[in-house]
Amino acid sequence: MIDSEGSADQYHPIDINILDKNSNLAFNIFSKVQGASEDRYILYASKEPRYRDKVRELLQSSELMEELYIHEEDLVLYFEHATDSLREYIINSTASPEKKMAKVYDLSRDVTHQFFEANSSPEILRGSGQVVELMEKCLDNNELGFHGLTRIMEKDYYTYTHSINVGLYCMTFALKIGMPADEVHELGLGGMLHDVGKSGIPKEIINKKGALTDEEFETIKSHTNNGVEVIRELGCYGEKVIQMVGQHHEKYNGGGYHQGLIGEDISLFARICKLTDVYDALTTRRSYKKSLKAIEALTIMKSKMGNEFDPKLLNSFIRMMGPEG
Ligand SMILES: [Fe+2]
Ligand SMILES: [Fe+2]
């Protein structure tokens, strides 16, 4: 039995059922043992080639009930491995699109949670493109629709699940209005990443229940420019994604931030992001507000905020969110 190294908070729970049990392990897997003062992590399966057969046997033996963990330095590898396994599953399984999307949602939630809540480096977001590809595969046959998605989505508002929801809404909307595949992909990415700049803002401000002071509001507003910096730094995203991150708080009739752009000077991608961003914020629950039903949210968007959105896009969105979904 080999004891772990480092402190307990460096271990990250993983979903072992997502991994392809026939492939070679790229990282060590640990199990948790409760200690008197602190939990200890014990090597459960080794990545070393000489243990390969034993590890496969172990992982295939039965439905694993035990919680298993990896060290944080292997997170990126784990996400890559999990994405590959999930791709196989999506292509080969006969499960429903909803079930497949639920698994992709869980994996994305894990990635974005790491970034927004566990202070992981933005490098963790590099795999977002592959996650968006998996989402595209699940949306491909168009069976899911907005209402199918809503059943899978987290109903409480967290920045990390909000990001995934916005990405999925953007992609579904783009598919429904007939945008080409490469643009659907960009919209998914931009939606998932639109609030990355919030990772640098203190949680007390993000989660504040009462009204924000002017200073706090300025801090919140900085997330668009900060986000653009983070995304540019990663160097793997195109201009459309950057526009979504930088312009999703612009308003169609002007007066938004940060550039105060008006009408079609705001990128089409950012105008779509703005719609789905507000829609998800209104239809999810926070400690200080209940979630609105689809029809209530759309009514507010049309009657009270109509001038903030591109009217054509808003009308299409309202039509698509209707009962036909
Ligand atoms: Fe935002
Ligand atoms: Fe947002």
Side-chain angles (χ1 to χ4, degrees):
M1 202 181 262
I2 302 171
D3 249 324
S4 58
E5 287 179 7
S7 63
D9 60 5
Q10 290 175 315
Y11 288 84
H12 173 77
I14 57 168
D15 179 0
I16 198 75
N17 292 315
I18 238 177
L19 298 178
D20 176 3
K21 296 177 178 66
N22 291 311
S23 70
N24 297 327
L25 266 192
F27 36 80
N28 290 331
I29 297 178
F30 298 85
S31 65
K32 183 160 76 176
V33 177
Q34 296 213 311
S37 56
E38 197 183 37
D39 293 333
R40 286 185 306 132
Y41 292 82
I42 308 290
L43 188 63
Y44 177 90
S46 169
K47 66 181 173 187
E48 281 189 45
R50 62 196 164 110
Y51 294 115
R52 194 168 293 159
D53 292 341
K54 224 175 138 192
V55 166
R56 276 189 201 161
E57 220 175 279
L58 204 64
L59 294 180
Q60 286 169 350
S61 58
S62 60
E63 272 293 292
L64 283 160
M65 299 305 286
E66 201 169 349
E67 273 251 286
L68 295 170
Y69 298 80
I70 51 163
H71 193 268
E72 64 177 10
E73 69 189 16
D74 286 333
L75 263 178
V76 172
L77 268 179
Y78 164 68
F79 286 134
E80 277 171 15
H81 201 85
T83 311
D84 288 344
S85 301
L86 207 46
R87 185 178 301 112
E88 290 288 309
Y89 166 81
I90 288 168
I91 294 169
N92 297 321
S93 163
T94 52
S96 67
E98 193 168 322
K99 208 163 175 200
K100 290 178 179 178
M101 183 61 98
K103 277 186 183 275
V104 180
Y105 193 87
D106 278 349
L107 178 66
S108 327
R109 180 206 299 253
D110 206 3
V111 175
T112 51
H113 184 270
Q114 275 302 313
F115 176 70
F116 283 106
E117 306 289 325
N119 298 322
S120 289
S121 114
E123 291 300 317
I124 206 98
L125 299 172
R126 274 194 197 277
S128 306
Q130 296 196 19
V131 173
V132 168
E133 258 172 51
L134 297 184
M135 290 172 172
E136 280 163 36
K137 285 199 195 331
C138 297
L139 293 172
D140 229 11
N141 50 18
N142 236 335
E143 277 175 44
L144 261 174
F146 280 117
H147 296 286
L149 281 180
T150 317
R151 282 195 290 274
I152 293 163
M153 288 170 170
E154 170 67 54
K155 306 295 183 301
D156 285 320
Y157 181 100
Y158 301 102
T159 306
Y160 64 99
T161 43
H162 164 71
S163 303
I164 308 167
N165 295 356
V166 169
L168 284 171
Y169 282 137
C170 279
M171 289 166 82
T172 310
F173 181 69
L175 281 168
K176 289 199 175 239
I177 60 173
M179 289 175 80
D182 58 325
E183 296 190 341
V184 174
H185 184 82
E186 300 285 304
L187 273 160
L189 269 179
M192 287 244 303
L193 299 169
H194 76 285
D195 275 337
V196 284
K198 283 194 177 165
S199 66
I201 296 178
K203 294 268 181 305
E204 312 81 78
I205 301 184
I206 301 251
N207 299 324
K208 188 172 171 184
K209 290 180 189 171
L212 296 171
T213 64
D214 288 349
E215 200 182 330
E216 287 166 340
F217 189 46
E218 285 308 311
T219 306
I220 290 271
K221 279 161 68 177
S222 69
H223 80 277
T224 52
N225 286 345
N226 292 348
V228 168
E229 255 173 62
V230 173
I231 292 297
R232 281 201 198 280
E233 188 104 336
L234 283 169
C236 52
Y237 300 107
E239 220 28 60
K240 291 174 181 133
V241 171
I242 294 173
Q243 287 164 347
M244 287 174 78
V245 177
Q247 299 177 10
H248 70 273
H249 285 285
E250 298 289 357
K251 297 177 180 171
Y252 197 74
N253 281 6
Y257 58 91
H258 249 102
Q259 299 171 72
L261 298 173
I262 295 178
E264 301 201 354
D265 284 344
I266 307 166
S267 129
L268 167 66
F269 291 78
R271 280 180 268 144
I272 294 176
C273 189
K274 162 94 179 160
L275 267 178
T276 59
D277 184 25
V278 171
Y279 180 79
D280 186 66
L282 291 175
T283 51
T284 43
R285 200 166 35 226
R286 299 185 89 150
S287 57
Y288 53 88
K289 74 155 187 78
K290 65 180 182 75
S291 60
L292 296 182
K293 295 195 176 75
I295 183 73
E296 296 169 324
L298 295 171
T299 306
I300 288 180
M301 287 167 75
K302 178 82 178 171
S303 61
K304 299 211 170 96
M305 307 170 75
N307 57 356
E308 296 189 18
F309 307 107
D310 177 329
K312 279 199 200 120
L313 292 178
L314 177 61
N315 286 338
S316 309
F317 189 68
I318 291 172
R319 261 200 311 279
M320 280 164 207
M321 296 305 284
E324 305 289 298

